[in-house]
Amino acid sequence: MGKAKFAAVYENDRNLCCVPASGAAIAVVLHDLMLAARFCDRLLLIHKGTRVAEGEPAIVLDDDRLAEAFGVTALRGSYESVRFILPWRTTTPSRSDP
């Protein structure tokens, strides 16, 4: 679950949700880690139908959980005081690995 900080959240010019900036709580299903990390105060990570983690993005989207749920590692940082997370490499072994 995410709590929007802004009046609207957009992805690819498509309005995902629009809420008052007064802090109304909303639930959004996101597979875009950058949007989740940037616009949500709290996340619920579900993998294969099971709750894996719930809490602040920095806690929920840690390296171990990203590897388990998405099979990726990520780069993290901030730009102009806005946090971001960028999926970077897959952690799944290739077919040539023993």
Side-chain angles (χ1 to χ4, degrees), residues 2-9 17-26 28 39-41:
K3 179 181 172 192
K5 296 178 183 177
F6 305 101
V9 178
C17 59
C18 185
V19 298
S22 64
I26 59 168
V28 191
F39 291 107
C40 296
D41 293 329

Side-chain angles (χ1 to χ4, degrees), residues 9-26:
V9 178
Y10 294 90
E11 180 183 40
N12 299 329
D13 297 324
R14 189 181 93 223
N15 190 338
L16 288 177
C17 59
C18 185
V19 298
S22 64
I26 59 168

Side-chain angles (χ1 to χ4, degrees), residues 6-7 15-16 18 26 28-29 44 46 49-50 52-53 59 70 76-77 82 84 87 91 94 98:
F6 305 101
N15 190 338
L16 288 177
C18 185
I26 59 168
V28 191
V29 176
L44 171 62
I46 299 172
T50 302
V52 175
I59 294 168
F70 299 103
R76 293 171 177 78
V82 176
F84 69 84
T91 59
S94 70

Side-chain angles (χ1 to χ4, degrees), residues 19-85:
V19 298
S22 64
I26 59 168
V28 191
V29 176
L30 292 173
H31 293 103
D32 186 315
L33 300 179
M34 279 210 316
L35 283 175
R38 182 171 178 190
F39 291 107
C40 296
D41 293 329
R42 294 185 54 78
L43 300 174
L44 171 62
L45 177 60
I46 299 172
H47 178 59
K48 296 184 178 180
T50 302
R51 178 192 297 195
V52 175
E54 184 176 354
E56 296 178 9
I59 294 168
V60 172
L61 300 177
D62 72 3
D63 289 335
D64 291 337
R65 290 185 185 107
L66 289 178
E68 177 187 351
F70 299 103
V72 298
T73 62
L75 297 176
R76 293 171 177 78
S78 67
Y79 179 74
E80 295 181 353
S81 300
V82 176
R83 65 182 178 240
F84 69 84
I85 183 168

